[in-house]
């Protein structure tokens, strides 16, 4: 998860015990071993094998993503794009893709740090700007976040993280009016499937060029398109508190998640088959549960059907209809 | 024997805007004429766009609709295969391809197989066609049309070949996948393998014209091409961008391949028919 503009998972629908940290603890307690049949070593081998397969020839997607950005942006009547640049790999990839597709004068990244953000994130974001020749726009979200939480000093990290993600979204949509630019999403397929993002926060966008790439594939694309090594190799972090990493918080690695998701989603394997291949049963269960439990974040709100043509049910038009 | 110069009109339709797409077609027609083409072939639903859903109802028109007149008129100068949502007199809607020549519509093919699985939902919105027929194509040839998914059912090229097709025309809206391990998109590699094999098995030319552009994030891969009766790709475009290219079909090679490898001559339609009749009872 790219840091800063993407925050901890919004689990407010998941019930009182379903917080992200609870998930992590459950997985940690289950530990390696448990009920899996093939054993953790086979699991690790499988992660490596599937990761390599996922990353193979991912460079082929690059010209398609350039064309996607050019065409889908133009279709909306916009020529420019705006997005949050966190210093993480996902938004860096989006920046490189957008500059190549649209030209740098059309690309408007916004850096939105909070006072607790890691200074290295800002440095990495600046590295991207320097490399691509983009102007720097920094909007510090500290005043608005602190003003709001002054009334709730005991607010949880979850509330704070989600609030930050939504403040950043609201800034991006406002900057969209300033630049006449379309907001781009930077959530990858792993985050979208796990629901590791904030609804109407970092998950909000008009177009998302990286939403069908697993984290493993984003890393491979990043290498192909020349994202600086320091950004590619640091541990992914939502950057909400010191030393936070996505993988600690999730309770599994992106490599594991990608392999398991690939088997469950793309290969349509039932979960017990995935466990037989050597993956930890606790992690497979956790991944599957997160995917299902957070599905609502990937959908429009449910509408009470009353008429014969209900939006989303039998009033069916492609999005491009309106363009 | 004659040769036919065929233009592959690899266009990117505007979703739901028939008039705009007629203009795009007219520009491609002018270009094809200037390059000396005898025929221009456009992709499936080139006049409407593909992911129509409920727009199907709004973009449908009959073959006598005035919006089509420029295309039909243009066929006085060049034969044109164009595709749209055709509304029949009984208000059934079809994915259709019309072949206009000499200033009139000479043949209409209605899509037979409507993919309704995965990302496809054609069967929700349109009716399936019911005829597999060939038609006179230029002076000395016969042609048949298969629209996209039609070609994935080998019975269709089989029947067209037995009906005497020298040339199979395939307007397509084929979406691509960049990922998945194939050298090109998975679907693209499949199309090439399949059509090269068909061309050899049915000793005919195959003209594949696929659209380009994006609809709701869905990518159409273009890469239109022509396969000769020996299974070799003899022209096309190696691009997923808008393009128009002209490829020459040498009908002499159909004759040569059919003598050299007389698969169609030896095809036992009676055996096929008997066996199919039995199988159909059981299905």
């Amino acid at each position: 998860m790219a840091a800063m503009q993407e925050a901890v998972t919004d689990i407010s629908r998941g019930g009182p015990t379903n917080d992200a940290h609870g998930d992590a603890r459950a997985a940690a307690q289950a530990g390696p071993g448990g009920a899996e049949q093939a054993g953790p070593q086979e699991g690790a081998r499988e992660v490596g094998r599937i990761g390599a397969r996922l990353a193979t020839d991912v460079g082929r997607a690059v010209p398609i993503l350039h064309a996607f950005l050019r065409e889908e942006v133009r279709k909306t009547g916009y020529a420019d794009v705006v997005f949050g640049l966190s210093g993480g790999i996902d938004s860096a990839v989006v920046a490189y893709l957008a500059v190549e597709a649209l030209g740098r004068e059309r690309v408007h990244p916004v850096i939105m740090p909070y006072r607790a953000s890691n200074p290295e994130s800002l440095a990495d974001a600046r590295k991207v700007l320097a490399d691509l020749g983009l102007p720097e726009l920094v909007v510090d979200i500290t005043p608005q976040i602190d003003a709001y939480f002054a009334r709730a000093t005991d607010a949880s990290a979850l509330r704070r993280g989600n609030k930050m993600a939504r403040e950043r979204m609201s800034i991006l949509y406002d900057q969209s009016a300033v630049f006449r630019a379309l907001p781009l999403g930077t959530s990858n397929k792993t985050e979208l499937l796990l629901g590791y993002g904030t609804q109407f926060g970092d998950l909000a966008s008009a177009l998302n060029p990286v939403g069908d790439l697993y984290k493993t594939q984003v890393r491979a694309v990043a290498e192909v398109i020349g994202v600086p090594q320091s950004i590619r190799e640091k541990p992914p972090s939502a950057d909400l508190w010191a030393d936070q990493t996505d993988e600690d918080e999730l309770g599994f690695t992106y490599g594991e998640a990608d392999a398991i998701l690939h088997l469950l989603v793309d290969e349509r394997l039932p979960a017990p088959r995935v466990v037989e291949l050597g993956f930890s049963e606790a992690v497979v269960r956790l991944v599957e549960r997160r995917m299902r439990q957070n599905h609502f974040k990937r959908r429009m709100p449910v509408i009470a059907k009353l008429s014969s043509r209900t939006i989303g049910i039998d009033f069916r038009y492609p999005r491009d209809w309106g363009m | 024997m004659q040769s036919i110069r065929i233009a592959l009109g690899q266009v990117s339709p505007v979703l739901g805007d028939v008039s705009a797409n007629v203009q795009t077609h007219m520009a491609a027609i002018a270009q094809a004429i200037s390059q000396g083409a005898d025929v221009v072939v456009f992709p499936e639903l080139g006049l409407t766009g593909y992911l129509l859903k409920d727009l199907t109802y709004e973009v449908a028109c009959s073959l006598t609709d005035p919006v089509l007149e420029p295309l039909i008129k243009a066929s006085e100068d060049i034969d044109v295969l164009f595709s749209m949502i055709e509304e029949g007199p009984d208000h059934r809607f079809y994915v259709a391809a019309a072949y206009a020549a000499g200033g009139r519509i000479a043949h209409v093919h209605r899509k037979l197989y409507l993919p309704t699985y995965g990302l496809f939902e054609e069967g929700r919105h349109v009716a399936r066609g019911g005829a597999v027929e060939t038609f006179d194509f230029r002076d000395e040839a016969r042609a048949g049309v298969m629209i996209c998914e039609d070609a994935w059912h080998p019975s269709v090229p089989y029947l067209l070949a037995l009906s005497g097709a020298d040339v199979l025309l395939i307007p397509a809206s084929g979406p691509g996948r960049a990922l998945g391990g194939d050298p090109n998109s998975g679907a693209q590699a499949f199309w090439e393998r399949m059509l090269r094999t068909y061309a050899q098995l049915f000793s005919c030319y195959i003209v594949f014209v696929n659209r380009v552009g994006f609809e709701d994030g869905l990518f159409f891969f273009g890469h239109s091409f022509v396969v000769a009766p020996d299974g070799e790709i003899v022209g096309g475009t190696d691009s997923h961008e808008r393009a128009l290219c002209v490829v020459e079909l040498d009908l002499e090679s159909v004759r040569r391949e059919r003598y050299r490898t007389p698969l169609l001559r030896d095809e036992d339609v009676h055996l096929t028919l008997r066996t199919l009749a039995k199988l159909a009872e059981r299905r």
Side-chain angles (χ1 to χ4, degrees):
Chain A
M1 172 149 129
M4 290 201 287
Q5 94 277 21
E6 297 151 14
V8 289
T9 179
D10 182 349
I11 47 65
S12 49
R13 285 216 352 185
T17 60
N18 275 329
D19 72 79
H21 313 292
D23 285 347
R25 275 194 303 274
Q29 279 158 14
E36 62 267 51
Q37 298 173 21
Q41 274 158 3
E42 284 76 2
R45 265 200 295 278
E46 202 67 6
V47 167
R49 201 177 57 78
I50 294 171
R53 193 166 78 207
L54 287 174
T56 300
D57 299 322
V58 89
R60 281 186 202 124
V62 172
I64 294 172
L65 294 176
H66 291 152
F68 166 83
L69 284 170
R70 272 192 296 270
E71 291 221 10
E72 293 287 27
V73 171
R74 180 191 49 78
K75 225 183 263 178
T76 62
Y78 285 79
D80 291 40
V81 294
V82 63
F83 53 92
L85 186 70
S86 65
I89 192 168
D90 300 306
S91 60
V93 163
V94 169
Y96 280 76
L97 290 172
V99 166
E100 177 66 29
L102 307 169
R104 63 188 155 93
E105 65 284 0
R106 299 286 180 204
V107 178
H108 310 280
V110 187
I111 305 176
M112 294 172 285
Y114 178 66
R115 62 177 160 80
S117 300
N118 187 337
E120 281 174 26
S121 302
L122 184 62
D124 281 331
R126 286 189 164 134
K127 217 180 276 183
V128 172
L129 296 181
D131 198 24
L132 293 172
L134 294 169
E136 180 173 311
L137 171 57
V138 178
V139 179
D140 182 358
I141 63 168
T142 307
Q144 63 207 83
I145 294 295
D146 286 358
Y148 179 76
F149 284 113
R151 53 190 294 153
T153 48
D154 60 341
S156 65
L158 179 75
R159 279 181 65 192
R160 289 174 184 277
N162 284 330
K163 179 69 176 156
M164 287 181 214
R166 293 190 181 110
E167 288 301 321
R168 289 179 176 125
M169 176 279 296
S170 126
I171 290 165
L172 287 177
Y173 272 78
D174 178 57
Q175 292 299 316
S176 155
V178 174
F179 293 115
R180 264 200 61 73
L182 204 64
L184 295 185
T186 60
S187 300
N188 60 56
K189 189 173 185 174
T190 312
E191 292 169 342
L192 291 173
L193 285 172
L194 294 174
Y196 193 57
T198 299
Q199 195 181 27
F200 310 119
D202 53 298
L203 294 181
S205 71
L207 292 179
N208 179 349
V210 295
D212 205 18
L213 294 170
Y214 290 110
K215 188 76 170 187
T216 306
Q217 294 172 313
V218 171
R219 287 174 174 146
V221 167
E223 199 175 339
V224 171
I225 62 182
V227 173
Q229 197 170 10
S230 64
I231 297 174
R232 286 193 278 118
E233 291 182 357
K234 69 181 175 183
S237 170
D239 201 12
L240 298 169
W241 56 82
D243 301 327
Q244 182 196 19
T245 71
D246 293 357
E247 293 180 342
D248 284 348
E249 196 187 354
L250 285 165
F252 43 78
T253 68
Y254 275 113
E256 274 180 285
D258 287 354
I260 293 168
L261 288 168
H262 173 67
L263 294 170
L264 290 174
V265 174
D266 305 303
E267 302 291 328
R268 299 180 199 250
L269 251 54
R273 281 283 298 125
V274 178
V275 173
E276 276 170 33
L277 290 172
F279 292 94
S280 148
E281 184 173 3
V283 173
V284 172
R285 276 213 204 126
L286 180 55
V287 165
E288 204 186 22
R289 198 183 79 216
R290 286 198 68 116
M291 185 164 57
R292 198 172 59 235
Q293 188 175 292
N294 289 325
H295 186 59
F296 73 95
K297 296 184 187 178
R298 297 184 289 263
R299 302 299 310 263
M300 292 288 280
V302 172
I303 292 175
K305 181 166 175 60
L306 300 171
S307 75
S308 67
R309 291 201 82 191
T310 307
I311 296 156
I313 298 179
D314 37 27
F315 176 83
R316 297 163 61 90
Y317 293 90
R319 210 272 291 262
D320 283 1
W321 172 46
M323 301 298 157
Chain B
M1 272 191 132
Q2 70 173 142
S3 69
I4 298 173
R5 286 173 62 79
I6 212 158
L8 317 183
Q10 185 170 292
V11 294
S12 176
V14 180
L15 188 65
D17 191 339
V18 178
S19 300
N21 293 321
V22 169
Q23 291 315 308
T24 307
H25 280 49
M26 291 305 291
I29 286 170
Q31 206 186 334
I33 291 173
S34 75
Q35 293 185 31
D38 304 305
V39 184
V40 56
V41 176
F42 291 106
E44 174 186 22
L45 296 179
L47 291 179
T48 61
Y50 179 74
L51 270 188
L52 292 164
K53 302 180 186 246
D54 276 350
L55 276 173
T56 305
Y57 183 74
E58 288 150 52
V59 301
C61 62
S62 79
L63 292 166
T64 54
D65 194 292
V67 75
L68 303 176
E69 274 168 16
L71 297 169
I72 298 169
K73 176 93 172 101
S75 77
E76 289 171 5
D77 301 317
I78 183 171
D79 297 3
V80 184
L81 185 78
F82 60 85
S83 170
M84 26 91 74
I85 297 288
E86 181 210 350
E87 182 169 350
D90 58 356
H91 308 300
R92 275 189 283 176
F93 301 83
Y94 301 95
V95 176
Y99 180 72
R104 62 179 195 92
I105 291 178
H107 178 77
V108 178
H109 173 76
R110 290 167 170 173
K111 190 173 188 177
L112 305 163
Y113 288 99
L114 308 171
T116 307
Y117 55 80
L119 67 93
F120 305 103
E121 43 188 56
E122 293 179 28
R124 279 182 63 94
H125 301 283
V126 294
R128 60 196 281 177
V132 182
E133 291 163 343
T134 54
F135 54 95
D136 287 330
F137 187 62
R138 306 299 298 168
D139 297 331
E140 296 176 52
R142 298 282 293 172
V145 173
M146 305 188 272
I147 301 178
C148 209
E149 186 92 350
D150 289 344
W152 290 41
H153 292 260
S155 52
V156 181
Y158 175 81
L159 292 170
L160 289 171
L162 290 173
S163 316
D166 306 290
V167 181
L168 299 177
L169 305 171
I170 308 179
S173 282
R177 297 188 306 272
L179 307 174
D182 275 312
N184 297 303
S185 84
Q188 187 185 325
F190 185 92
W191 273 107
E192 272 192 28
R193 268 200 310 274
M194 177 173 73
L195 297 185
R196 293 184 64 174
T197 305
Y198 282 168
Q200 278 187 295
L201 295 182
F202 302 123
S203 325
C204 63
Y205 272 100
I206 301 186
V207 177
F208 172 74
V209 181
N210 190 29
R211 64 161 289 182
V212 294
F214 290 80
E215 284 176 3
D216 277 22
L218 190 64
F219 161 67
F220 297 94
F221 66 85
H223 281 81
S224 302
F225 62 93
V226 176
V227 198
D230 61 0
E232 294 305 313
I233 292 178
V234 290
T237 171
D238 201 18
S239 148
H240 60 255
E241 308 283 343
R242 295 167 182 81
L244 183 122
C245 57
V246 178
V247 182
E248 189 152 333
L249 313 191
D250 167 22
L251 293 175
E252 182 66 32
S253 70
V254 175
R255 179 173 185 256
R256 192 170 54 238
E257 285 304 320
R258 287 190 184 175
Y259 185 77
R260 194 170 70 126
T261 317
L263 301 176
L264 285 175
R265 180 196 71 188
D266 296 345
E267 177 63 23
D268 186 344
V269 292
H270 301 288
L271 170 66
T272 306
L273 187 62
R274 279 197 307 275
T275 313
L276 272 179
K278 274 188 254 170
L279 290 173
E281 295 251 307
R282 274 189 249 147
R283 233 167 118 95

